[in-house]
Amino acid sequence: MIKFDKKAMQRFNQIPEEIKPKILSNVYCTSCREMVTIIDFEGRIEGSDLILRGKCKICLNKVVRLIEG
């Protein structure tokens, strides 16, 4: 399930649709020690950055993706 606060949703919607899959599948998992896809994530704005917090698609370990603002 994807959850966003209002500002995070606005920022996420500004990302071109063809770029979103690349961002979501380029997240480092410390458990798998490789780039994975983030699932069940939520988005928040922290400072000027969009932070996506969710789970690794492979092992379900917590992962975070930073999208600089």
Side-chain angles (χ1 to χ4, degrees), residues 18-42:
E18 64 273 8
I19 302 297
K20 287 179 186 176
K22 293 176 183 179
I23 290 171
L24 298 177
S25 64
N26 190 24
V27 180
Y28 186 76
C29 176
T30 57
S31 180
C32 295
R33 296 182 183 217
E34 64 181 291
M35 301 311 279
V36 298
T37 299
I38 188 172
I39 60 170
D40 298 332
F41 58 92
E42 60 183 46

Side-chain angles (χ1 to χ4, degrees), residues 9-22:
M9 182 57 80
Q10 289 172 343
R11 176 74 64 78
F12 192 72
N13 286 337
Q14 291 175 345
I15 300 170
E17 289 300 317
E18 64 273 8
I19 302 297
K20 287 179 186 176
K22 293 176 183 179

Side-chain angles (χ1 to χ4, degrees), residues 26-64:
N26 190 24
V27 180
Y28 186 76
C29 176
T30 57
S31 180
C32 295
R33 296 182 183 217
E34 64 181 291
M35 301 311 279
V36 298
T37 299
I38 188 172
I39 60 170
D40 298 332
F41 58 92
E42 60 183 46
R44 298 183 69 167
I45 297 292
E46 293 183 17
S48 62
D49 301 327
L50 174 59
I51 308 291
L52 303 178
R53 297 179 194 278
K55 298 177 185 176
C56 168
K57 186 176 180 177
I58 298 169
C59 72
L60 302 179
N61 189 48
K62 291 180 182 179
V63 294
V64 178

